Amino acid sequence: MSRKKIDIVIEKIGIFFDSKRDNPKKPKPPVIDLLIATKLSQNTTDKTSHRAYLNLKESFKSWDKVADAPIGRIKECIRVCGLTNTKAADIKKMLQKMRENYGMIDLEFLRDYPDEKVYEELLQYDGIGVKTISCVLAFSLGRDVFPVDTHVHRILNRLGIVKTNTAEQTFEKAKDLIPGEKKVKFHTDLIKFGRNICKSQNPLCNICFIYKECEFEEKVIHRKKPVSLEMNQNNFIILENI
Ligand code: SF4
């Protein structure tokens, strides 16, 4: 796909989701808050992980208290978002290790680090991978990073922007293809587009406004399936709401 076509796709999807545009005046959330929220959002919906995040914050009031809490109490707070055992154990262990490493649970020093050093620093914690760190860079540190989840990977391949087998490969390829300042917004727009239109099983190709640009062979078949324009408006993105 040509650069011009990529720009057209970014623009059309951006216009469609314009009502949800970022508020540039919204302050960036603390790095540790964003990291915990991203961790909770793994393998679940944004709505349930947001509820788990708020439960945790409201119940403990500080991350120090979470680090010292019995694991059962942490599990109780985050039960709604699934994978409770792993998430609770990883979060508690990570917070304790941070306190050992830095003398306190505070990651604001990462704001002075270049991207590569942020990856290096956070990869030492169990259960924290490149995707999670990319979200921290994008949504808390304000960097031009393009996190790739399952929606983003699927859509970029259908469109023909990349031809990859894994989300990790897509992340590497997309780094140079998506213009810097558009990366974060395009990421969130693609998630909304993937939830509402370019769905995994039944993409709504017959109402798709980038049908012409799309290189997905099966779009012709899907176009024939009758669907209503009614969308479920599943546009809540947890990382825009921390
Ligand atoms: S035409 Fe279909 S497959 Fe292509 S981007 Fe649109 S919804 Fe997705």
Side-chain angles (χ1 to χ4, degrees):
M1 182 178 272
S2 71
R3 183 54 189 268
K4 194 171 163 224
K5 244 178 163 184
I6 294 172
D7 287 343
I8 292 171
V9 167
I10 293 173
E11 195 187 342
K12 284 189 177 177
I13 295 184
I15 289 170
F16 188 79
F17 291 107
D18 194 49
S19 60
K20 301 289 177 189
R21 288 255 150 225
D22 276 342
N23 174 1
K25 289 186 184 146
K26 181 178 177 287
K28 297 286 177 210
V31 183
I32 182 65
D33 289 21
L34 206 291
L35 180 65
I36 302 275
T38 311
K39 173 77 195 164
L40 290 170
S41 72
Q42 291 168 355
N43 299 96
T44 188
T45 67
D46 279 20
K47 277 185 185 158
T48 55
S49 53
H50 191 240
R51 224 178 305 143
Y53 170 79
L54 293 179
N55 281 347
L56 211 49
K57 289 275 279 187
E58 279 159 21
S59 301
F60 291 101
K61 313 290 183 208
S62 81
W63 296 121
D64 268 300
K65 287 184 178 157
V66 178
D68 295 332
I71 198 86
R73 275 204 64 210
I74 304 175
K75 281 194 214 169
E76 197 56 44
C77 286
I78 66 171
R79 188 164 307 286
V80 67
C81 77
L83 292 178
T84 315
N85 290 343
T86 315
K87 287 178 183 174
D90 282 351
I91 288 171
K92 183 175 164 74
K93 204 168 141 201
M94 177 177 79
L95 293 172
Q96 288 178 333
K97 193 170 175 188
M98 281 175 184
R99 202 162 48 191
E100 272 170 43
N101 287 350
Y102 318 125
M104 63 174 92
I105 300 172
D106 185 345
L107 293 175
E108 292 309 292
F109 66 92
L110 293 178
R111 294 193 187 279
D112 298 327
Y113 279 22
D115 295 359
E116 286 315 312
K117 225 175 146 195
V118 174
Y119 282 111
E120 219 174 273
E121 187 63 37
L122 293 180
L123 278 172
Q124 68 175 294
Y125 298 103
D126 289 346
I128 303 298
V130 169
K131 194 179 112 196
T132 298
I133 302 169
S134 301
C135 290
V136 169
L137 284 162
F139 292 94
S140 179
L141 298 177
R143 309 290 169 83
D144 292 333
V145 174
F146 186 67
V148 173
D149 75 342
T150 174
H151 290 298
V152 175
H153 171 62
R154 178 182 71 252
I155 299 164
L156 292 194
N157 272 280
R158 282 178 176 174
L159 287 169
I161 290 178
V162 297
K163 292 194 191 330
T164 54
N165 296 316
T166 65
E168 290 72 27
Q169 289 170 0
T170 302
F171 177 72
E172 286 306 319
K173 291 265 179 202
K175 268 181 192 168
D176 302 325
L177 291 171
I178 312 301
E181 74 288 357
K182 296 189 176 163
K183 282 187 163 91
V184 180
K185 198 68 196 83
F186 188 44
H187 160 83
T188 52
D189 284 346
L190 282 178
I191 292 174
K192 293 168 191 171
F193 183 63
R195 287 179 188 169
N196 294 296
I197 297 177
C198 192
K199 301 175 187 192
S200 168
Q201 295 307 317
N202 287 307
L204 311 186
C205 302
N206 61 348
I207 59 158
C208 181
F209 49 85
I210 49 171
Y211 185 89
K212 196 157 64 86
E213 285 78 21
C214 180
E215 294 177 12
F216 187 42
E217 282 178 13
E218 292 170 31
K219 72 178 184 179
V220 186
I221 302 164
H222 287 291
R223 194 173 202 185
K224 289 179 187 150
K225 294 181 184 168
V227 289
S228 80
L229 191 57
E230 197 180 310
M231 294 196 300
N232 59 8
Q233 293 291 331
N234 184 6
N235 286 336
F236 179 79
I237 305 276
I238 181 175
L239 302 184
E240 288 183 333
N241 290 279
I242 296 301

